[in-house]
Amino acid sequence: MKTAVYPGTFDPITLGHSDIVRRAAQLFDKVIVAIAVNAAKTPTWTADERVAMAQQVLAEFPNVEVKSFDTLLVSFVQRSNAGVILRGLRAVSDFEYEFQLAGMNRHLAPDIETLFLTPAEQFTFISSSLVREVACHGGDVPEFVHPIVKKELLTRYNIRNISQHKNYQE
Ligand code: COA
């Protein structure tokens, strides 16, 4: 049974992340979306909230599980009996950081491989922080997040309807 772990902060999960998960779910028997507690990034949503959102967004994939972790990534991968870390590469600018991360993880656990997948073209320029920033200024983000996440963004930023936000047309 081939299991892959797809780690990240997922604050919040975007359609770019879901696109990677969909591709991975076709390649592996099981995919674990591993949500890092990641206090260093001071996430907008708690780990439990991020897990709940991702579980709803990814409910259509029977071989995908969502969990949180607050340890070294490689320890989580080993505990999960997985041999593969999956990361998404959106642009060349992602490469340097990803190369460092993969190198350090290989140093820590040589038997775990890091594999990279690229998302569909329309998701190559989005990130969780960009989605949050657009939403908190009243911009609409339906092409980038699942309706469940859009609802969470509306609640979080106390906006009744993103597209009718008074500054949106200005
Ligand atoms: N679609 C949309 N956005 C994507 C994306 C995709 N397919 N792939 C990456 N991103 C974005 C994320 O939204 C995120 O954006 P943000 O910075 O605006 O939030 C950014 O790219 C990168 O974030 P992410 O993929 O979530 O990674 P991360 O850098 O937040 O997390 C961990 C990296 C969690 C994997 C790493 O910190 C880790 O392993 N932590 C555990 C502790 C550990 O083992 N540390 C040593 C590692 S060597």
Side-chain angles (χ1 to χ4, degrees):
M1 167 129 161
K2 286 266 175 231
T3 302
V5 170
Y6 178 40
T9 310
F10 300 98
D11 186 42
I13 185 165
T14 67
L15 293 184
H17 293 125
S18 307
D19 185 74
I20 297 282
V21 171
R22 181 178 58 78
R23 290 167 200 280
Q26 289 165 358
L27 296 171
F28 293 90
D29 299 308
K30 183 167 149 189
V31 176
I32 302 174
V33 174
I35 300 194
V37 173
N38 210 343
K41 264 193 163 177
T42 53
T44 303
W45 285 273
T46 66
D48 287 346
E49 289 168 334
R50 283 176 278 143
V51 167
M53 259 190 282
Q55 274 170 339
Q56 292 177 73
V57 168
L58 303 173
E60 67 183 283
F61 303 109
N63 60 338
V64 173
E65 269 179 33
V66 184
K67 291 180 174 173
S68 67
F69 73 104
D70 198 9
T71 60
L72 270 182
L73 174 59
V74 289
S75 310
F76 177 83
V77 174
Q78 283 161 343
R79 277 202 311 278
S80 307
N81 292 320
V84 171
I85 295 170
L86 274 180
R87 294 285 289 168
L89 272 185
R90 291 162 299 167
V92 178
S93 50
D94 281 343
F95 183 77
E96 204 171 330
Y97 172 63
E98 293 301 334
F99 193 73
Q100 277 188 317
L101 212 65
M104 181 57 81
N105 284 326
R106 175 172 283 163
H107 172 79
L108 294 168
D111 52 335
I112 296 174
E113 292 295 343
T114 300
L115 295 184
F116 298 101
L117 291 176
T118 54
E121 199 185 358
Q122 69 267 32
F123 303 127
T124 50
F125 62 92
I126 63 169
S127 69
S128 300
S129 52
L130 260 187
V131 162
R132 288 197 310 272
E133 190 178 333
V134 171
C136 91
H137 288 97
D140 207 353
V141 285
E143 306 92 334
F144 307 135
V145 294
H146 189 282
I148 285 162
V149 175
K150 176 171 171 172
K151 199 165 149 242
E152 283 294 328
L153 287 163
L154 289 169
T155 309
R156 177 69 45 165
Y157 297 113
N158 203 14
I159 298 167
R160 218 178 292 170
N161 184 334
I162 279 179
S163 58
Q164 286 169 12
H165 189 253
K166 68 180 170 56
N167 292 325
Y168 182 58
Q169 306 284 356
E170 289 172 8

